[in-house]
């Protein structure tokens, strides 16, 4: 054998086969994905498809097509193994596609892939496998849900009822044994004088109407302010819950921007809670006071009269309030 040929063969054996270069163009990547599908290597299909989607040198529609290959790979892995971890990765990848490149004219395909993902996750109910707690290093970062203040509902305090009625006649009697002789007839007490209806009474009635109307308007205004405070408080609470839900759905830690936003919303929540309570209580008091003034606008001045008979310890107290 030729010595040169022997040297070439020995060098080739020593060096070994040259590894194939990874696909670089979209056409090569697409052929690679199709080969993995034909060979039923679905784990590699999901891994290589998601890796290719992260390449920034490809066009958006090309990245979207490669991501769809990865989603199909995750679905086939779930169909074979029954493990939902791949579906969680598929949900996150589909959201990345929608956020980074959009669905474009492939909305129907994206909708079908999302339905397959969500139907597979729905089989794992009642517990969502994608919302498992994650261990953090050293000091754990508080989640937005931990920033929610404890809501303690105060029992409404009913205002004291207005006592507008007074008995017209109060009698307290103590009887002695009747004497032998017939007692003289007791004089009937004089009728109570009717309340004054002069100009002063009309002025008082008008002042009651004005004061009652102003208190009612003030009560309505304070009630609107309390309602606005409660609405803004509810909005802040809902936004904190939305941040927590989004962080758990994406299986990631909270970002500094989201943490600062959640802290601000928690401060707003804590500030508006006493404001709404005080404003609502003031609105209720003003409204009740206005109604009482309007209901008693025609009542006269309080009068009272005490009389007693000479033959018995009969005390009669009459009046109009």
């Amino acid at each position: 054998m030729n010595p040169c040929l022997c040297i070439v063969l020995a060098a080739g054996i020593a060096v070994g086969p040259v590894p194939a270069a990874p696909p670089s163009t979209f056409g090569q990547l697409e052929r690679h994905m199709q080969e993995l599908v034909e060979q039923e290597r679905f784990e590699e299909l999901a891994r290589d498809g998601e890796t290719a989607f992260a390449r920034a040198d490809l066009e958006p529609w090309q990245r979207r097509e490669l991501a769809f290959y990865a989603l199909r790979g995750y679905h086939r892995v779930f169909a074979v193994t029954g493990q939902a971890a791949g579906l969680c990765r598929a949900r996150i990848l589909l959201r990345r596609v929608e956020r980074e490149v959009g669905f474009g004219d492939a909305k129907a395909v994206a909708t079908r892939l999302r339905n397959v993902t969500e139907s597979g996750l729905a089989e794992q109910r009642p517990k969502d496998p994608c919302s498992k707690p994650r261990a953090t290093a050293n000091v754990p970062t508080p989640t937005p849900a931990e920033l929610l203040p404890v809501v303690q509902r105060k029992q409404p305090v009913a205002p004291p009822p207005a006592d507008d009625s007074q008995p017209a006649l109060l009698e307290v009697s103590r009887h002695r044994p009747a004497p032998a002789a017939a007692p003289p007839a007791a004089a009937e007490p004089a009728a109570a004088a009717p309340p004054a209806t002069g100009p002063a009474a009309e002025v008082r009635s008008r002042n009651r109407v004005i004061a009652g109307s102003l208190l009612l308007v003030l009560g309505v205004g304070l009630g609107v302010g309390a309602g606005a405070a409660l609405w803004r408080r509810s909005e802040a609470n809902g936004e904190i819950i939305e941040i927590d839900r989004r962080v758990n759905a994406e299986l990631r830690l909270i970002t500094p921007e989201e943490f600062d936003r959640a802290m601000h919303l928690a401060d707003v929540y804590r500030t508006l809670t006493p404001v709404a309570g005080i404003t609502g209580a003031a609105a209720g008091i003003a409204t009740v006071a206005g109604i009482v003034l309007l209901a008693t606008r025609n009542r006269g001045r309080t009068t009272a009269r005490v009389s007693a008979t000479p033959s018995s310890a009969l005390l009669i107290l009459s009046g109009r309030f």
Side-chain angles (χ1 to χ4, degrees):
M1 181 181 293
N2 192 343
C4 295
L5 180 60
C6 292
I7 293 173
V8 171
L9 292 176
I13 295 172
V15 173
V18 178
S24 58
T25 64
F26 173 72
Q28 295 175 349
L29 288 170
E30 190 173 23
R31 283 194 298 272
H32 176 63
M33 299 297 160
Q34 293 175 356
E35 291 175 358
L36 293 178
V37 172
E38 294 173 357
Q39 298 171 8
E40 297 185 355
R41 296 157 60 186
F42 300 118
E43 293 184 1
E44 297 181 25
L45 177 66
R47 182 193 61 206
D48 295 349
E50 187 170 0
T51 302
F53 169 74
R55 291 182 50 174
D57 58 328
L58 299 177
E59 296 293 332
W61 68 270
Q62 296 173 345
R63 296 176 60 194
R64 180 170 58 247
E65 292 296 328
L66 295 173
F68 286 170
Y69 276 109
L71 291 171
R72 295 186 180 95
Y74 283 128
H75 294 163
R76 295 301 298 272
V77 170
F78 171 73
V80 174
T81 62
Q83 298 179 358
L87 294 181
C88 296
R89 295 290 305 173
R91 174 191 280 177
I92 297 175
L93 178 59
L94 192 60
R95 290 174 178 171
R96 286 182 56 195
V97 172
E98 183 177 9
R99 182 173 61 251
E100 296 180 15
V101 299
F103 293 146
D105 55 354
K107 290 183 179 179
V109 179
T111 301
R112 185 168 61 253
L113 293 173
R114 176 182 284 113
N115 292 338
V116 174
T117 303
E118 298 302 328
S119 63
L121 291 174
E123 297 176 358
Q124 311 298 319
R125 289 179 179 176
K127 186 176 181 181
D128 187 359
C130 300
S131 62
K132 295 180 180 179
R134 304 176 302 280
T136 56
N138 298 331
V139 180
T141 303
T143 62
E146 298 174 354
L147 302 176
L148 288 173
V150 179
V151 180
Q152 296 181 354
R153 302 183 181 273
K154 297 181 179 181
Q155 296 294 333
V157 179
D163 188 5
D164 295 337
S165 60
Q166 182 76 14
L169 183 62
L170 178 63
E171 296 184 2
V172 179
S173 62
R174 294 188 181 94
H175 295 281
R176 294 178 182 176
E188 290 294 332
T197 58
E202 295 178 359
V203 170
R204 286 195 299 270
S205 178
R206 184 169 62 252
N207 291 340
R208 285 175 178 267
V209 171
I210 295 174
S213 301
L214 291 177
L215 286 175
L216 281 179
V217 172
L218 179 61
V220 172
L222 291 174
V224 172
L230 290 175
W231 175 83
R232 181 66 185 96
R233 174 175 170 270
S234 177
E235 289 292 317
N237 190 24
E239 190 171 349
I240 292 176
I241 295 175
E242 177 61 24
I243 293 175
D244 180 68
R245 186 195 62 77
R246 185 168 62 249
V247 170
N248 290 331
E250 296 178 1
L251 300 177
R252 60 177 177 80
L253 296 177
I254 185 173
T255 62
E257 293 79 9
E258 292 175 335
F259 180 79
D260 293 340
R261 179 61 178 169
M263 288 292 294
H264 171 70
L265 293 172
D267 291 338
V268 172
Y269 186 99
R270 284 189 290 266
T271 302
L272 290 180
T273 297
V275 171
I278 295 173
T279 308
I285 293 172
T287 303
V288 171
I291 293 174
V292 169
L293 287 176
L294 291 177
T296 60
R297 65 184 184 275
N298 293 326
R299 291 188 177 273
R301 188 172 51 189
T302 301
T303 60
R305 182 176 58 83
V306 178
S307 63
T309 60
S311 61
S312 64
L314 178 62
L315 179 64
I316 301 175
L317 176 64
S318 63
R320 190 173 187 275
F321 298 86

